[in-house]
Amino acid sequence: MATETKTNGVGLKLSRKDFQSDQTVRWCPGCGDYSILAGVQKVLPELGLPREKYVFVGGIGCAARFPYYMNTYGFHTIHGRAPAFATGIKVVNPELSVWVITGDGDALSIGGNHLIHAMRRNIGINILLFNNRVYGLTKGQYSPTSQVGTKTKSSPVGSIDYPLHPISLAIGAECTFIARTVDRDQKHMAKILEMAARHEGTSFVEILQNCIVFNDGAWHQYTEKGLKEQNVLYLEEGQPLVYGSEDDRRGILINDFKSEIVSADSPGIAVHREDDEDGAYAHLLSRIEVNGGPMPIGIFRNFQRPPYEAMLEDQVTAAQLQKKMSVDDLLHSGDTWEHK
Amino acid sequence: MEKMDDNSSNGSPEKEVVEVESVTIRFAGDSGDGMQLTGDRFTSASALAGNDLRTFPDFPAEIRAPIGTLAGVSAFQINFSSEDIHTPGDALDALVAMNPAAFKANIGDLKRGGILIVNTDNFTEKNFQKAEIDSNPLDDEKLRGNYQVFEVNVTDLTRRALEDMDLQSNLADRCKNFFALGLMYWMYTRPMEPTKEWIKQKFGNRSEIVEANTRAMEAGYHFGENTEAMASHYIVPEATYPAGTYRSISGNVAVAYGFIAAARKLGLTLFWGAYPITPASDVLHELSRYKNFGVRTFQAEDEIAAVSSAIGASYAGALGVTCSSGPGIALKGEAIGLAVMTEIPLVVLNVQRAGPSTGMPTKTEQSDLLMSMYGRNGESPVPILAASTPSDCYDVAIEASRIAVKYMTPVMLLSDGYLANGSEPWLIPAEADIPEMKAVFREDPEGFMPYDRDPETLSRPWTIPGTPGLQHRIGGIEKQDGSGNISYEPENHDHMVRLRAEKVAGIAKDIPPVEVMGEDSGKVLVVGWGGTFGAIAAAVEALQARGASVSQVHLRYLNPFPANFEEVMRKFDKVLVPELNLGQLVKVIRSEYVIDAISYSKVQGKPFMVSEHITKIEELL
């Protein structure tokens, strides 16, 4: 239980309300962002940190306004660069819990470079990517995750860009914690967010989020009753890859570097394991939905590697122990001479 | 007056030693010939000999351009003197040309009657072709009429000096720069001992290289002593400058030291966000060695990440600095605007180079002043400071940090390629000399507002994450004065735009007035900024010595200008503004003060020569 010491010295338990700021939330009514905001505000009290230790960093876009609504430290920065700001913050103060809130345009288009480099460095930040497959704040252009043929204001006869797959990208970028959840599943989201927050190093969570105005229903087959049972594959550590309704259970067989959908009672159904440091299995999982299979939801990959800020601290500490110097020593280093 | 410090020299009594006040020499060769190292060693020896000196390394951007071509010529110029000097010198007293390309590229700068030493072993047909020379220039009688030409088979003599060492010939050939160095040591009566020590330290565990380089240098020295061709050599007596402990310092090293010192004084961690770029990378290299000072260098994925991470670092309570050159600074513009809007301390160091676009990466220019002033969207004022000499980079780094932290603002700090790589002797300052400055973090929740203002500085409280009870949100959207909440209110925006401008303009009250070097009224005032200081000062001093009515002002603060700047200018008939651009400061002066200042511009990727200023000023007198 997180407690925060108030001025009277009494430890009080923090609640969801403690993380709500006094700002009016200005997302469109019915936006999937509301449930993600609620999910985050519910999870933080469980993490055992006082409010002042949290920093939420946004870039530009609907999702990036998120920091204004959190009663924590918040920095609404510039388009695509939030991971770079977050890196500077985390390096200077590794004790902070630093969160980047981003969207598919912010993270994958204008900010693609910063996203992949934060991941490969394994800097200890949590990146939540709200993926709604459309540009919302600029009023409805196609995004880097829009499917080919998406008709929007900027693609009236259908987009011809092939989409990026965020999970596959994160695997390629050496991310050490990679997960996917959905805006409509509070319980699942809470579990994933907590795991992400507790992970040392970069955690990356793709959240399938509905844009009710410009791309309503983009994820309906994974969120609506009657559809999601057939189309969502929940990833559970140590459990076989099975999904489907009671009367039509299916499983995933991995053979010859390919996944294959078979009946759930077939022999050799793959068993999920998160600690796939190599990444080949996780990548294969990330392609199941791309290739027309079910949408895997859960943790794709979760392994340990020393985070950037910890290694930097180690280098600084070692240097400080090894060579104590004053500014005067520094200025006198190298060749000097006396002039009389 | 002959003075031989070096015991390896047995003297040559029949040779004449000529005392001279000031000498400018240049080593020029292929970029693989080690000319920069040779120049560095000659510099060190001259410093130890007590001369005042200035250096100017000039090298190609290509790491290894095709051998023997004009594109691959690398040069190092040094001016050393028994008097106070300000520049690396205009025309050369001596040129060492290691190949025809180096000869062709540099001969134009040699004084009539100057010394030309060429490595004849490289003056071959093949090399003439590479250097685009039709016939052997050494056969030209005019050359001998104009210069004292010494043809020395440097490669062969070096090989012979090392022949019993059983080295591979390419290794022996790589020692030929030390032969040239030894010869110049003899020519200018410099001791070899410090260089021998340096060779030992540098190549310590490779004893054959230590021996080969040492022997090559000695062979060059003795060649000078013994060859009949060279009848005289020179000595430059010690200069008289203030007593104390000195070192040689380049601008890039000085600026790195300045930021370390400033962070120490402020009690802050120095965070350095940078992406490699010529000619700024050396500052990153230098600082990455000082983790023992708690310095966090971050080699970012690009220029935007470099500045963004530095802003994040400052937001979290560090002294965030980002460093680049023109093309990189252009990329940082949007983020600098965010630091203006969110009022977060940041220093942006721009080691300027010739532009536009990629321009000429290793050549100097000062053409980014207007970009520094206006190169962002919206009304986005930032203080701008410029360093005037290599060692001044230290002081300006400290001052830029002070302003950034005190006024909660990004500060542009301008250096240039000439200052970055050039060096001069530096009377080492003491840590205790650093001006008083402090960083204060807001900790009291009572009445806290993120955009509350200090009535004197107009700066807002620096409130860092981790501080209990002060959680707040900031960002790039216009904010309400005081609360910092998002605001689109027209009057508020007008107020905030003016407030941010007023805050920066108010820094004028906190900086020293401009100092006039010379009479404070008269015919011509030369107003300069940045790395042109030395050449302007030398020209103005020379003219003043002849009784000319000319004075100099050199600006450290380009935004805001010092409070007395206008008044000072109005006391002169004419204001001349020399710049290595098409007239950027002059534009600002003209628009700000409606003073009919005269521009003098040069954009050749090279610094001004003293003589150019003298000619220009004389036109106006």
Side-chain angles (χ1 to χ4, degrees), chain A residues 7, chain B residues 441-449 452 461-463 467-470:
Chain A
T7 45
Chain B
F441 299 129
R442 170 78 185 224
E443 279 169 357
D444 182 8
E446 192 60 41
F448 169 71
M449 288 203 294
D452 209 0
W462 195 356
T463 315
T467 314
L470 295 184

Side-chain angles (χ1 to χ4, degrees), chain B residues 395-419:
Chain B
D395 296 312
V396 181
I398 293 172
E399 177 66 348
S401 306
R402 179 187 78 87
I403 292 174
V405 165
K406 183 169 176 181
Y407 293 90
M408 296 290 286
T409 179
V411 175
M412 292 292 220
L413 173 51
L414 299 174
S415 172
D416 61 47
Y418 171 76
L419 297 177

Side-chain angles (χ1 to χ4, degrees), chain B residues 479-493:
Chain B
K479 46 218 12 82
Q480 198 171 51
D481 194 13
S483 75
N485 289 335
I486 291 176
S487 170
Y488 284 83
E489 211 186 298
E491 287 73 23
N492 178 72
H493 178 54

Side-chain angles (χ1 to χ4, degrees), chain A residues 23 51-52 67 70 72-74 76 81 84-85 113-114 121 308 313 315 323 328 331 333 336-339, chain B residues 47 239 241 243-247 291-292 296 298 301-302 308-309 431 466-467 471-476 485:
Chain A
Q23 300 296 297
R51 285 181 295 191
E52 67 267 14
M70 296 295 297
T72 61
Y73 283 87
H76 182 214
R81 323 299 173 195
F85 288 93
N113 201 29
H114 310 302
R121 289 190 189 103
Y308 182 92
E313 283 312 298
Q315 286 191 347
K323 203 172 180 195
D328 285 323
L331 300 179
S333 59
T336 64
W337 69 92
E338 293 299 323
H339 191 82
Chain B
Y241 49 89
T245 309
Y246 283 78
R247 61 174 292 161
K291 293 196 167 64
N292 55 335
R296 270 76 169 167
F298 175 63
E301 58 271 23
D302 60 27
S308 300
S309 61
E431 182 172 10
T467 314
Q471 298 92 281
H472 65 283
R473 276 65 54 192
I474 58 170
N485 289 335

Side-chain angles (χ1 to χ4, degrees), chain A residues 2-6 10-14 18 50-52, chain B residues 469 471:
Chain A
T3 59
E4 194 172 61
T5 307
K6 298 281 163 92
V10 180
L12 296 174
K13 181 190 177 295
L14 295 176
D18 290 313
R51 285 181 295 191
E52 67 267 14
Chain B
Q471 298 92 281

